[in-house]
């Protein structure tokens, strides 16, 4: 096994993750994470050790997307850096589409992905500027 730097495989992964986020599919979101996992932002950090903890951390995301009438999420991959034999850092800018077909600016994140037999999984998420 080798760290995933293949853009097609990374795009497929983030496409699945984006669909899970927008649809509020908590089990699918949880299946995108390696455990234990970590989320880091300027003012907070939290970790999770189970799929249930991952799902719980995203409970409020789907209603927020629905309130904003977001119907699609696309991860624009900006940079891919192999970090080790099984770890890859991927810089992503999320782009959203609302129910009227308008592009909605998203946020930027860096994802530390761990390559597993099932493909890449998110180990750490850092919200970036």
């Amino acid at each position: 096994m080798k760290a995933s730097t293949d853009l097609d495989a990374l795009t497929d992964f983030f496409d699945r993750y984006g669909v899970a986020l927008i649809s509020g599919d908590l089990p699918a979101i949880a299946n995108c994470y390696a455990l234990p996992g970590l989320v880091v932002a300027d003012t907070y950090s939290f970790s999770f050790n189970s799929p249930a903890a991952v799902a719980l951390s995203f409970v409020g995301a789907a209603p927020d997307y629905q309130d904003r009438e977001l119907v699609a999420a696309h991860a624009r991959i900006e940079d891919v850096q192999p970090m080790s034999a099984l770890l890859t850092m991927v810089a992503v800018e999320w782009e959203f589409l609302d129910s009227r077909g308008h592009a909605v600016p998203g946020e930027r994140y860096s994802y530390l992905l761990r390559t597993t037999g099932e493909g890449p999984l998110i180990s750490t998420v850092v919200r970036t500027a």
Side-chain angles (χ1 to χ4, degrees):
M1 213 172 350
K2 185 179 170 203
S4 181
T5 57
D6 177 67
L7 281 181
D8 288 337
L10 293 172
T11 298
D12 287 346
F13 171 77
F14 282 109
D15 284 350
R16 285 191 316 273
Y17 185 56
V19 167
L21 288 171
I22 289 293
S23 66
D25 186 342
L26 298 178
I29 292 169
N31 286 334
C32 291
Y33 280 81
L35 299 175
L38 181 64
V39 174
V40 179
D42 286 341
T43 58
Y44 64 88
S45 297
F46 62 89
S47 62
F48 31 77
N49 293 312
S50 70
V54 175
L56 184 61
S57 70
F58 283 93
V59 165
D64 177 57
Y65 293 140
Q66 290 170 352
D67 289 347
R68 294 168 48 197
E69 297 184 23
L70 301 179
V71 296
H74 171 71
R76 189 170 61 82
I77 297 173
E78 297 179 325
D79 191 38
V80 178
Q81 296 292 321
M83 303 298 286
S84 71
L86 297 177
L87 299 175
T88 305
M89 185 67 74
V90 182
V92 168
E93 178 182 12
W94 284 98
E95 301 169 331
F96 298 100
L97 186 66
D98 70 16
S99 60
R100 292 178 215 84
H102 297 114
V104 177
E107 300 167 334
R108 286 187 161 87
Y109 292 88
S110 288
Y111 295 89
L112 182 62
L113 302 180
R114 177 177 294 127
T115 299
T116 69
E118 300 164 4
L121 296 174
I122 300 166
S123 179
T124 303
V125 179
V126 179
R127 184 163 180 200
T128 56

